[in-house]
Amino acid sequence: MKVLFLNGPNLNLLGTRQPEIYGRTSLQDVEVMVRQRATQLQVEIDFRQSNAEGDLVTWIQQSRGIVNAIVLNAAAYTHTSVALRDAISACELPVIEIHLSNVYARESFRHHSMIAAVCRGTICGFGPWSYILGLEAAVNLNSALK
Ligand code: DQA
């Protein structure tokens, strides 16, 4: 089984960016955590970040038929991107929306997700643990499909 993790804008700054909201764990350390759990679960991981909306769209398009699931922290594009929503709809893969912070406890513009309705489910508010829960959700979905 192969899972693609995609990270949107500003997540490259994790660890130093608003640590009171996002914590002090860097994206690299989150990736290490994900890879450790993935090894236990015998899952292959591809882990990427981009600040550019088009990169995320292209990576979702290219993953069709290549990976079994996508775990997506679209960051600010969550709240704005019709392009990402359309890419998710087109890819015919289970996509799991994740966030480090509890977006519902924050500003009202973060309460709406452009992508939630086309994702299999949403995990938010657990810090780096949201990534592990996203991986476990992807594995469970995959075994339920067999
Ligand atoms: C985020 C929440 C978004 O609202 C925000 O724009 C981010 C990070 C999160 O992981 O908590 O950049 O996706």
Side-chain angles (χ1 to χ4, degrees):
M1 176 182 186
K2 187 166 180 177
V3 178
L4 173 63
F5 277 76
L6 293 182
N7 295 280
N10 300 304
L11 292 172
N12 54 313
L13 302 178
L14 272 189
T16 54
R17 170 196 184 197
Q18 295 179 281
E20 67 286 1
I21 296 173
Y22 298 114
R24 295 202 179 271
T25 309
S26 68
L27 190 61
Q28 221 175 1
D29 288 343
V30 173
E31 181 177 350
V32 169
M33 287 173 60
V34 166
R35 288 191 181 281
Q36 280 170 354
R37 185 71 184 117
T39 302
Q40 292 168 345
L41 294 168
Q42 295 180 302
V43 176
E44 195 183 330
I45 298 295
D46 190 346
F47 196 98
R48 303 180 189 190
Q49 188 276 332
S50 178
N51 293 327
E53 188 176 15
D55 286 346
L56 299 167
V57 168
T58 300
W59 290 337
I60 292 170
Q61 287 180 6
Q62 290 171 346
S63 67
R64 187 175 175 170
I66 306 289
V67 305
N68 300 88
I70 299 174
V71 178
L72 173 63
N73 186 349
Y77 293 138
T78 304
H79 315 296
T80 62
S81 180
V82 177
L84 269 184
R85 181 189 176 111
D86 288 350
I88 294 166
S89 298
C91 76
E92 293 182 342
L93 288 169
V95 178
I96 298 153
E97 175 185 357
I98 64 164
H99 303 283
L100 295 144
S101 64
N102 179 355
V103 286
Y104 301 103
R106 301 182 61 195
E107 303 96 320
S108 59
F109 67 85
R110 294 183 204 277
H111 298 178
H112 181 253
S113 166
M114 290 298 295
I115 62 172
V118 293
C119 290
R120 287 298 293 266
T122 302
I123 296 163
C124 79
F126 299 98
W129 195 250
S130 293
Y131 284 73
I132 306 297
L133 294 172
L135 172 61
E136 290 178 353
V139 171
N140 285 333
L141 281 175
N142 193 56
S143 49
L145 292 175
K146 280 180 186 158

